């Protein structure tokens, strides 16, 4: 058999069809509309000169209600709806659960360059004002006592400092965060997480009993951190490990009064086999390596469904020294401090029904 030829031309249209004739089709009488042979009568609706709503119960589809609608201008009393004001002073939403998950991440985006290979840079995850939304913060090295504020990201690139805040205690590590005008950091030499309000200088702290916090007993492999602080759409999460334990532990903390709500001991995750962790939509994602250029986000844990997962999302350490990796729920970006380069990585979120 040979090769089939090309298709031929399109043929002429067929004859027109006939209209349907349903004169003999059976019809259920329940669906027939009964026609009235009488014409509707029109009656003029009149209202009194002064209509008062006092001691009158208005019912639906009554003459009184219809009259009130027509003669609304003559009503002498007004209904005042009581408005219950709700306060939004508290930045933390108790019991909030974001039904979403991390689907993938984008390519790293360069923003600026710092003067030290180790450090952290941040944006307020819950800014109080429009000016706070534009600010950027920088903390050089993995130990120090100052946080530098820049009015905008452009000022950060030009190194135009807006303010320098001196902390009451020395910070340790590079996994800090700023939420609602307060800096959260690990207080050096103690198993304590400090909360320092930038505007007022008020300081508060929470102690993580039994957590490793000194010597070479670091949280992650090849890192200078004993704690990893993460913020997402739900709460503050503190990652740490106990002195003589290999598994990773995570505490869910009320970000206002630093009260521990829940504690999770993730016995299937060895803290020495991961390089960093982020929390997005109530789910932990761990990064395998911070020094290899190409690695994976290989392990996940859902804090609400109490389930492990294997997302296997590709991750790039552009300059092979990512010592700070932190998700910001405000702009849905992952902030990275990689060998002095200030980067962000877009987080592509998939929203779920439940």
């Amino acid at each position: 058999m040979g090769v089939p030829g090309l298709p031929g031309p399109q043929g002429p249209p067929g004859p027109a069809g006939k209209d349907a004739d349903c004169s003999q089709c059976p019809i259920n009488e329940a669906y027939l509309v009964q026609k009235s042979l009488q014409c509707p009568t029109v009656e003029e609706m009149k209202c009194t000169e002064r209509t008062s709503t006092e001691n009158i119960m208005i019912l639906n589809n009554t003459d009184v209600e219809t009259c009130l609608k027509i003669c609304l201008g003559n009503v002498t009393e007004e209904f005042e709806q009581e408005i219950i004001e709700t306060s939004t002073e508290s930045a933390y939403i108790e019991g909030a659960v974001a039904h979403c998950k991390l689907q993938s991440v984008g390519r790293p985006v360069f923003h600026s360059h710092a003067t030290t290979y180790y450090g952290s840079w941040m944006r307020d995850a819950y800014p109080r004002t429009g000016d706070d939304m534009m600010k950027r913060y920088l903390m050089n090295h993995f130990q120090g006592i100052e946080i530098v504020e820049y009015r905008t990201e452009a000022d950060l690139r030009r190194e135009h400092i807006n303010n320098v805040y001196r902390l009451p205690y020395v910070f340790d590590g590079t996994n800090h965060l700023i939420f609602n005008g307060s800096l959260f950091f690990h207080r050096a030499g103690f198993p304590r997480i400090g909360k320092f309000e930038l505007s007022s200088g008020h300081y508060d702290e929470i102690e993580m009993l039994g957590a490793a916090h000194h010597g070479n007993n670091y949280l992650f492999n090849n890192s200078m951190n004993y704690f990893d602080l993460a913020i997402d759409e739900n709460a503050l999460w503190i990652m740490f490990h106990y002195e003589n334990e290999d598994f990773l532990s995570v505490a869910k903390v009320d970000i206002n009064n630093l009260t521990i709500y829940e504690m999770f001991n993730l016995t299937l995750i060895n803290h020495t086999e991961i390089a960093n962790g982020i929390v997005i939509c109530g789910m932990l994602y761990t990064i395998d390596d911070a020094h290899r250029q190409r690695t994976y986000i290989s392990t996940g844990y859902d804090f609400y469904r109490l389930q492990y997962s294997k997302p296997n999302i590709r991750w790039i350490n552009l300059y092979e020294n990512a010592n700070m990796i932190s998700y910001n729920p405000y702009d849905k970006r992952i902030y990275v401090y990689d060998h002095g380069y200030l980067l962000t990585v877009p987080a592509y979120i998939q929203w779920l029904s439940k």
Side-chain angles (χ1 to χ4, degrees):
M1 180 181 292
V3 179
L6 298 175
Q10 185 176 1
K18 297 181 180 180
D19 294 334
D21 183 10
C22 292
S23 58
Q24 304 298 326
C25 298
I27 300 176
N28 191 343
E29 296 182 358
Y31 295 102
L32 295 178
V33 178
Q34 300 295 332
K35 295 183 179 180
S36 177
L37 300 179
Q38 296 181 355
C39 296
T41 58
V42 179
E43 297 180 0
E44 184 180 0
M45 182 68 68
K46 295 182 179 180
C47 298
T48 59
E49 294 182 359
R50 296 180 62 84
T51 304
S52 175
T53 59
E54 186 177 2
N55 299 326
I56 295 179
M57 180 179 293
I58 300 178
L59 303 176
N60 291 332
N61 300 324
T62 62
D63 293 341
V64 176
E65 182 183 10
T66 307
C67 184
L68 287 177
K69 290 180 179 179
I70 296 176
C71 308
L72 191 59
N74 295 333
V75 176
T76 58
E77 294 185 4
E78 297 180 356
F79 292 99
E80 295 183 359
Q81 183 178 3
E82 183 180 0
I83 301 176
I84 302 176
E85 297 183 357
T86 57
S87 174
T88 57
E89 296 179 357
S90 176
Y92 177 75
I93 303 175
E94 184 176 356
V97 178
H99 298 291
C100 52
K101 69 176 183 178
L102 179 64
Q103 186 176 25
S104 62
V105 296
R107 296 180 178 180
V109 179
F110 172 82
H111 292 266
S112 185
H113 190 274
T115 57
T116 59
Y117 292 147
Y118 289 85
S120 60
W121 80 294
M122 297 155 287
R123 180 183 188 179
D124 197 325
Y126 197 97
R128 296 178 177 178
T129 64
D131 291 339
D132 291 343
M133 176 188 66
M134 302 298 296
K135 293 177 181 178
R136 300 295 185 270
Y137 301 89
L138 183 66
M139 298 175 71
N140 291 314
H141 218 57
F142 48 79
Q143 273 196 350
I145 201 168
E146 292 180 343
I147 174 173
V148 183
E149 177 188 272
Y150 299 89
R151 192 181 302 274
T152 62
E153 189 172 303
D155 286 351
L156 171 64
R157 286 192 289 268
R158 301 188 191 101
E159 298 183 2
H160 291 174
I161 298 175
N162 180 51
N163 205 344
V164 177
Y165 300 95
R166 187 174 180 86
L167 305 179
Y169 302 101
V170 176
F171 69 80
D172 198 344
T174 57
N175 287 322
H176 324 291
L177 62 89
I178 291 184
F179 183 91
N180 201 227
S182 295
L183 170 69
F184 294 80
F185 65 96
H186 170 215
R187 179 181 171 183
F190 298 88
R192 299 174 184 175
I193 303 301
K195 176 183 178 181
F196 177 72
E197 188 173 3
L198 300 180
S199 60
S200 65
H202 176 74
Y203 177 80
D204 196 6
E205 64 182 21
I206 179 175
E207 185 170 4
M208 309 298 295
L209 296 175
H213 60 279
H214 57 81
N216 294 325
N217 202 1
Y218 293 113
L219 176 60
F220 301 128
N221 56 35
N222 299 321
S223 79
M224 299 293 182
N225 293 282
Y226 300 104
F227 294 88
D228 187 1
L229 308 182
I231 188 74
D232 74 337
E233 294 79 1
N234 298 275
L236 169 67
W237 307 87
I238 301 177
M239 286 172 266
F240 66 99
H241 77 97
Y242 292 104
E243 286 282 357
N244 300 316
E245 299 292 347
D246 293 332
F247 57 81
L248 178 68
S249 297
V250 183
K252 180 183 178 182
V253 180
D254 187 314
I255 206 162
N256 285 319
N257 54 28
L258 297 182
T259 301
I260 297 178
Y261 278 153
E262 292 181 88
M263 189 73 72
F264 302 87
N265 293 323
L266 309 183
T267 56
L268 298 184
I269 300 179
N270 191 322
H271 72 90
T272 63
E273 296 177 355
I274 58 177
N276 215 306
I278 55 177
V279 179
I280 300 177
C281 299
M283 187 166 181
L284 170 68
Y285 297 90
T286 63
I287 301 170
D288 288 347
D289 200 297
H291 296 277
R292 284 189 303 173
Q293 192 172 68
R294 298 181 182 274
T295 184
Y296 286 90
I297 301 175
S298 61
T299 305
Y301 183 79
D302 194 322
F303 291 113
Y304 293 97
R305 297 172 180 86
L306 306 180
Q307 295 176 349
Y308 290 91
S309 63
K310 290 290 184 181
N312 291 327
I313 299 173
R314 294 183 179 181
W315 178 265
I316 297 177
N317 298 306
L318 200 59
Y319 300 98
E320 301 180 352
N321 186 21
N323 49 83
M324 173 257 184
I325 301 175
S326 180
Y327 170 71
N328 190 313
Y330 181 77
D331 55 8
K332 302 293 188 291
R333 302 183 74 87
I334 302 172
Y335 284 68
V336 181
Y337 193 106
D338 192 349
H339 204 66
Y341 293 89
L342 312 185
L343 314 172
T344 60
V345 177
Y348 299 130
I349 307 297
Q350 178 184 2
W351 296 95
L352 308 173
S353 59
K354 280 295 182 181

